[in-house]
Amino acid sequence: MNPKLRRRAARHGGTFSRQDAVESGYTVSQVRERLRDGRWILLRRGFYAERSDSTDRPPWERETEAHRLAVHAAARALAGSAVVISHQSAVVLHGLSSWGLDPDLVHVTRTDRGHGRILAGTSHHVGELPASAVTSAEGLPATTVARAIIETSCAARYEAAVVLCDSGLRSGLVTRTDLTETLGQMSGWPGTGTPLAAVAFADERLESVGETRLRVLLDTHGLPAPDLQVPFGTGPNEVLARVDFFFREYQVVVEFDGMLKYRDDAVGAVVREKHREDRLRSAGVLVVRVAWDDLDQPERVVHRIRQAFARAERAGMRRVHP
């Protein structure tokens, strides 16, 4: 991409139109050639982006970036219409986790009297948006963080809704009060039971998608609620480790590490985690490690944790409180 076109694309979230390319010095034949050989990708008719190497990123992050580009292309195609980027498309623009959400359609809310429809890869919702529900994200009109989380969660699975709520709280862009108040304003919307439950369960201390999914799994399968992000140390001012989940009654630690294969130093990370686990065990706790793929086999994860509970009880480690 030549410097002139790169500057134009930068003004639109990395996207550009065929007209941008031609006015930047490319012929129509050169545009077609770059699309054929994969240097450029087609976002929608007449709009493109330069292909980037993202093979070292988790799949949902690659999908999120593709969706972000599609949103910017749709916004240009719909320029002049009374639309606001909304739902999961607003979630993506706000930089929140979109794990478990459908990335195939761009979502906008029309504030005129049009009709709800799906056209050219864009889902057009129709409804009034109070001024307090609209902000700007990446230079585009979008629903606020709280509104985007709630409207998206209404049509999402519970697990994905909790991931989204945790992401919003962790980012500091929204508070639980913001979410609760937005829920109240959207009373009567179909599907509000999901965000209602997700907001109540969400916790900003969860540091990743995997940790949130694991916490949902533990709760769904009836395990006791663990303490979160608990520090262990050899003295009052020395932190040996901060663990994801601690079942204090059984002295069992559950650690999540699902992103190992995406780390630059995967082998070194394994060695460091092994040493960390050894130090935790020397502190008198049992350690259960859960990886990303384990989350698709919840019964096996629960069985391993219950086995750890049983070992702790046999070893006299269980602390029964009166």
Side-chain angles (χ1 to χ4, degrees):
M1 185 186 295
N2 67 31
K4 184 174 182 179
L5 183 55
R6 191 174 300 280
R7 287 195 301 272
R8 285 197 176 201
R11 292 197 293 268
H12 302 286
T15 67
F16 56 93
S17 66
R18 175 175 296 190
Q19 182 177 352
D20 290 330
V22 170
E23 291 178 356
S24 297
Y26 292 92
T27 65
V28 172
S29 295
Q30 288 174 322
V31 171
R32 291 172 179 162
E33 177 187 353
R34 282 156 176 75
L35 290 170
R36 280 196 303 269
D37 64 26
R39 280 178 284 175
W40 293 356
I41 57 176
L42 175 68
L43 301 173
R44 61 187 290 146
R45 184 175 181 180
F47 292 91
Y48 320 103
E50 191 171 37
R51 184 179 299 278
S52 62
D53 182 11
S54 58
T55 54
D56 60 339
R57 298 167 63 187
W60 69 87
E61 289 188 7
R62 297 197 294 269
E63 291 176 350
T64 296
E65 177 57 18
H67 188 84
R68 189 188 69 80
L69 293 171
V71 170
H72 278 277
R76 288 194 71 185
L78 295 171
S81 303
V83 298
V84 174
I85 308 301
S86 62
H87 297 75
Q88 47 261 58
S89 296
V91 163
V92 167
L93 291 187
H94 287 304
L96 305 182
S97 172
S98 60
W99 179 87
L101 305 179
D102 184 357
D104 292 339
L105 293 175
V106 172
H107 290 261
V108 301
T109 295
R110 301 187 65 92
T111 56
D112 56 16
R113 296 192 176 184
H115 299 285
R117 58 180 178 170
I118 296 176
L119 182 65
T122 302
S123 178
H124 295 252
H125 304 265
V126 178
E128 294 183 5
L129 282 173
S132 60
V134 180
T135 185
S136 176
E138 294 196 16
L140 301 176
T143 51
T144 61
V145 174
R147 175 82 179 206
I149 289 174
I150 300 303
E151 63 191 6
T152 301
S153 297
C154 285
R157 293 182 295 114
Y158 172 70
E159 183 184 23
V162 177
V163 167
L164 179 52
C165 290
D166 279 1
S167 174
L169 295 174
R170 184 170 60 247
S171 73
L173 297 174
V174 71
T175 67
R176 195 181 304 273
T177 299
D178 295 332
L179 295 175
T180 301
E181 289 179 350
T182 301
L183 262 170
Q185 295 163 5
M186 297 171 66
S187 176
W189 268 50
T192 50
T194 299
L196 187 65
V199 170
F201 187 70
D203 196 302
E204 66 274 11
R205 290 174 293 175
L206 280 297
E207 296 178 342
S208 69
V209 171
E211 288 182 26
T212 294
R213 291 188 64 200
L214 179 53
R215 181 169 175 251
V216 171
L217 184 157
L218 300 175
D219 180 68
T220 300
H221 286 79
L223 290 173
D227 295 336
L228 307 177
Q229 305 300 331
V230 178
F232 280 80
T234 57
N237 298 316
E238 182 180 354
V239 176
L240 174 67
R242 187 177 301 277
V243 303
D244 300 330
F245 306 95
F246 182 42
F247 293 91
R248 194 175 299 275
E249 178 181 349
Y250 295 94
Q251 295 296 289
V252 169
V253 163
V254 176
E255 287 278 77
F256 178 81
D257 186 4
M259 304 281 68
L260 185 59
K261 64 183 177 182
Y262 297 107
R263 294 181 181 175
D264 294 334
D265 181 23
V267 174
V270 169
V271 173
R272 288 191 296 274
E273 288 301 323
K274 176 63 168 60
H275 290 163
R276 184 172 180 270
E277 285 188 24
D278 289 343
R279 291 195 301 270
L280 282 169
R281 290 188 176 97
S282 70
V285 298
L286 299 179
V287 179
V288 177
R289 181 162 292 280
V290 178
W292 183 266
D293 291 343
D294 294 330
L295 298 176
D296 293 326
Q297 304 177 71
E299 292 80 8
R300 184 176 298 181
V301 172
V302 172
H303 179 65
R304 288 170 54 204
I305 294 173
R306 291 197 184 280
Q307 281 185 317
F309 289 171
R311 289 198 303 273
E313 191 148 21
R314 288 194 299 269
M317 297 168 60
R318 183 179 182 188
R319 299 179 179 180
V320 181
H321 301 286

Coordinates of all heavy atoms in Angstrom, one line a residue, residues 150 153-158 161-162 165 183 186-201:
I150 N -25.4 -4.5 27.4 CA -26.7 -5.0 27.7 C -27.4 -5.4 26.4 O -28.0 -6.5 26.4 CB -27.5 -4.0 28.5 CG1 -26.8 -3.6 29.8 CG2 -28.9 -4.5 28.8 CD1 -26.5 -4.8 30.7
S153 N -25.9 -8.6 25.2 CA -26.2 -9.8 26.1 C -27.6 -10.3 26.0 O -27.8 -11.5 26.3 CB -25.9 -9.4 27.6 OG -24.5 -9.0 27.7
C154 N -28.5 -9.5 25.6 CA -29.9 -9.9 25.5 C -30.0 -11.0 24.5 O -31.0 -11.9 24.6 CB -30.8 -8.7 25.0 SG -31.2 -7.6 26.4
A155 N -29.1 -11.1 23.5 CA -29.2 -12.1 22.4 C -28.1 -13.1 22.5 O -27.9 -13.9 21.6 CB -29.3 -11.5 21.1
A156 N -27.3 -13.1 23.6 CA -26.1 -13.9 23.7 C -26.4 -15.1 24.7 O -27.3 -15.0 25.5 CB -24.9 -13.1 24.2
R157 N -25.5 -16.1 24.6 CA -25.5 -17.1 25.6 C -25.0 -16.5 27.0 O -24.2 -15.6 27.0 CB -24.6 -18.3 25.2 CG -25.1 -19.0 24.0 CD -24.2 -20.2 23.7 NE -22.9 -19.8 23.2 CZ -21.8 -20.0 23.9 NH1 -21.8 -20.6 25.1 NH2 -20.6 -19.6 23.4
Y158 N -25.5 -17.1 28.1 CA -25.1 -16.6 29.4 C -23.6 -16.6 29.6 O -23.1 -15.6 30.1 CB -25.7 -17.5 30.5 CG -25.2 -17.2 31.9 CD1 -25.6 -16.1 32.5 CD2 -24.4 -18.1 32.5 CE1 -25.2 -15.8 33.8 CE2 -24.0 -17.8 33.8 CZ -24.4 -16.7 34.4 OH -23.9 -16.4 35.7
A161 N -22.2 -13.6 27.8 CA -22.7 -12.4 28.4 C -21.8 -12.1 29.7 O -21.5 -10.9 29.9 CB -24.1 -12.5 28.8
V162 N -21.5 -13.1 30.5 CA -20.6 -12.9 31.6 C -19.2 -12.5 31.2 O -18.6 -11.6 31.8 CB -20.5 -14.2 32.5 CG1 -19.6 -14.0 33.7 CG2 -21.9 -14.6 33.0
C165 N -19.5 -8.8 30.3 CA -19.6 -8.0 31.5 C -18.3 -7.9 32.3 O -17.9 -6.8 32.7 CB -20.7 -8.5 32.4 SG -22.4 -8.4 31.8
L183 N -29.9 -1.5 32.4 CA -30.9 -2.6 32.4 C -32.3 -2.1 32.8 O -33.3 -2.4 32.2 CB -30.5 -3.7 33.4 CG -29.8 -4.9 32.9 CD1 -29.2 -5.7 34.0 CD2 -30.7 -5.8 32.0
M186 N -33.9 -0.4 29.9 CA -34.3 -1.3 28.8 C -35.3 -2.3 29.3 O -35.4 -3.4 28.6 CB -33.0 -1.9 28.2 CG -32.0 -0.9 27.6 SD -30.4 -1.6 27.1 CE -30.9 -2.7 25.8
S187 N -35.9 -2.1 30.4 CA -36.9 -3.0 30.9 C -38.0 -3.3 29.8 O -38.5 -2.4 29.1 CB -37.6 -2.4 32.1 OG -38.6 -3.2 32.6
G188 N -38.3 -4.5 29.6 CA -39.3 -4.9 28.6 C -38.6 -5.5 27.3 O -39.3 -6.1 26.5
W189 N -37.3 -5.3 27.2 CA -36.6 -5.8 26.0 C -36.7 -7.4 26.1 O -36.5 -7.9 27.2 CB -35.2 -5.4 26.0 CG -34.9 -4.2 25.2 CD1 -35.5 -3.0 25.3 CD2 -33.8 -4.0 24.3 NE1 -34.9 -2.1 24.5 CE2 -33.9 -2.7 23.8 CE3 -32.8 -4.8 23.8 CZ2 -33.0 -2.2 22.9 CZ3 -32.0 -4.3 22.8 CH2 -32.1 -3.0 22.4
P190 N -36.8 -8.1 25.0 CA -36.8 -9.5 25.1 C -35.4 -10.0 25.4 O -34.4 -9.4 25.0 CB -37.2 -10.0 23.7 CG -36.9 -8.8 22.8 CD -37.2 -7.6 23.7
G191 N -35.2 -11.0 26.3 CA -33.9 -11.5 26.6 C -33.2 -10.9 27.7 O -32.0 -11.2 28.0
T192 N -33.8 -9.9 28.5 CA -33.1 -9.2 29.5 C -32.7 -10.1 30.7 O -31.9 -9.7 31.5 CB -33.9 -8.0 30.0 OG1 -35.2 -8.4 30.3 CG2 -33.9 -6.9 28.9
G193 N -33.3 -11.3 30.8 CA -33.0 -12.2 31.9 C -31.5 -12.6 31.8 O -30.9 -12.7 32.9
T194 N -31.0 -12.7 30.6 CA -29.5 -13.1 30.5 C -28.6 -12.0 31.1 O -27.8 -12.3 31.9 CB -29.2 -13.4 29.1 OG1 -30.0 -14.5 28.6 CG2 -27.7 -13.8 28.9
P195 N -28.7 -10.7 30.6 CA -27.8 -9.7 31.2 C -28.1 -9.5 32.7 O -27.2 -9.2 33.4 CB -28.1 -8.5 30.3 CG -29.4 -8.7 29.7 CD -29.5 -10.2 29.5
L196 N -29.3 -9.7 33.1 CA -29.6 -9.5 34.5 C -28.8 -10.5 35.4 O -28.2 -10.1 36.4 CB -31.1 -9.7 34.8 CG -31.6 -9.4 36.2 CD1 -31.5 -7.9 36.5 CD2 -33.1 -9.8 36.3
A197 N -28.8 -11.7 34.9 CA -28.0 -12.7 35.7 C -26.5 -12.5 35.5 O -25.7 -12.7 36.4 CB -28.4 -14.1 35.2
A198 N -26.1 -12.1 34.3 CA -24.7 -12.0 34.0 C -24.1 -10.8 34.8 O -23.0 -10.9 35.3 CB -24.5 -11.7 32.5
V199 N -24.8 -9.7 34.9 CA -24.4 -8.5 35.7 C -24.2 -8.9 37.1 O -23.3 -8.5 37.8 CB -25.3 -7.3 35.5 CG1 -25.0 -6.2 36.5 CG2 -25.2 -6.8 34.0
A200 N -25.2 -9.7 37.7 CA -25.1 -10.1 39.1 C -23.9 -11.0 39.3 O -23.3 -10.9 40.4 CB -26.4 -10.8 39.4
F201 N -23.6 -11.8 38.4 CA -22.5 -12.7 38.6 C -21.1 -12.2 38.2 O -20.1 -12.7 38.7 CB -22.7 -14.0 37.8 CG -21.8 -15.1 38.0 CD1 -21.8 -15.8 39.2 CD2 -20.8 -15.5 37.1 CE1 -20.9 -16.9 39.5 CE2 -20.0 -16.5 37.3 CZ -20.0 -17.2 38.5

